Amino acid sequence: MSPRKRASEELTKEMILKEAQTQFEKKDFQNVSMRNIAKQLGCSHGAIYYHFKNKAELFYMIIEEHFSKLNALLDETTEGPENDETKLKNVFLRFIEFGLNHQSQYELMFMLRNKEVDSLSQQAANESYQKFAQAVQSLSSNQLTVADIWSIFIALHGFVSYYRGFVSHFEEAEAAAISHVNFIVSGVKSKPKL
């Protein structure tokens, strides 16, 4: 067994977050403990508490970072020089690309379900969904309802969920993703104007 590290010297937040994410991806939230994380890092569990007050805070920081990456991708896509329809297609494609290129993270963000996890990820998820909804509404040539935007999100989520585990990267499903996105956009375009 390796000697234990002192909390303030060698152990970093990044190391803890990386190990915690690995464990959250392999086990249910309830089956991950600060002691197990510390054991894998070769330190005392007190060293983990030096950086994080509890497992919930640790999980939230992981989820928040993933949502920040997705949000940045959406921002980058909507700020491009393309016309609105192309940007809308790209927003949908980038969402699918993120989901298929970051399958473990996507699962933590959107597919892990239990009361404790839902409450921890709710704020970050809501903020990200609002960003998605605003981008879709602003890029659409028609006025969309809340239900319309939710249906679009579910259609994209369904695509990622279906291909998750069957492909390793977005490129393997890119042709199907483009076809799916074109179908969604054609539905958005054909929606009667209010």
Side-chain angles (χ1 to χ4, degrees):
M1 181 188 254
S2 63
R4 296 201 181 262
K5 299 176 178 91
R6 282 190 286 196
S8 60
E9 288 184 5
E10 299 173 33
L11 189 66
T12 65
K13 278 188 167 186
E14 291 74 26
M15 292 167 63
I16 297 167
L17 288 168
K18 183 177 179 182
E19 178 57 35
Q21 177 167 320
T22 298
Q23 291 196 27
F24 286 130
E25 289 170 2
K26 291 179 181 176
K27 308 175 194 174
D28 288 336
F29 179 82
Q30 298 88 347
N31 295 325
V32 174
S33 72
M34 298 295 254
R35 286 185 188 275
N36 286 340
I37 294 168
K39 183 178 178 182
Q40 289 301 313
L41 292 171
C43 64
S44 71
H45 69 280
I48 306 290
Y49 286 107
Y50 176 82
H51 294 283
F52 299 96
K53 66 180 178 181
N54 55 35
K55 180 173 71 169
E57 180 185 32
L58 185 54
F59 181 82
Y60 181 75
M61 285 194 72
I62 291 168
I63 291 297
E64 190 173 45
E65 181 181 332
H66 298 327
F67 277 113
S68 291
K69 288 177 182 175
L70 177 58
N71 294 343
L73 189 61
L74 294 176
D75 284 341
E76 179 184 302
T77 303
T78 59
E79 293 169 3
E82 299 87 2
N83 64 44
D84 285 351
E85 183 178 329
T86 301
K87 286 181 185 179
L88 186 62
K89 287 179 181 181
N90 287 338
V91 163
F92 298 163
L93 284 171
R94 295 299 74 83
F95 181 89
I96 291 172
E97 181 179 18
F98 177 88
L100 294 179
N101 285 344
H102 305 93
Q103 293 181 32
S104 297
Q105 294 87 339
Y106 188 89
E107 184 174 355
L108 288 176
M109 294 163 69
F110 294 108
M111 301 176 84
L112 192 60
R113 288 282 165 253
N114 74 46
K115 289 180 184 178
E116 195 171 9
V117 169
D118 286 348
S119 66
L120 294 172
S121 62
Q122 197 63 48
Q123 182 181 347
N126 285 343
E127 289 172 7
S128 187
Y129 179 76
Q130 288 303 316
K131 181 176 283 294
F132 172 83
Q134 289 168 357
V136 170
Q137 186 62 69
S138 70
L139 296 172
S140 175
S141 56
N142 296 327
Q143 184 65 31
L144 301 175
T145 65
V146 171
D148 294 333
I149 296 171
W150 180 247
S151 294
I152 292 167
F153 175 80
I154 293 299
L156 297 171
H157 175 66
F159 186 94
V160 173
S161 299
Y162 179 80
Y163 280 95
R164 188 182 66 83
F166 289 111
V167 300
S168 301
H169 295 86
F170 170 73
E171 291 76 23
E172 296 172 61
E174 186 171 7
I178 291 169
S179 178
H180 187 64
V181 164
N182 286 337
F183 180 77
I184 294 169
V185 170
S186 70
V188 170
K189 284 172 48 178
S190 66
K191 179 177 170 49
K193 293 188 178 188
L194 298 177

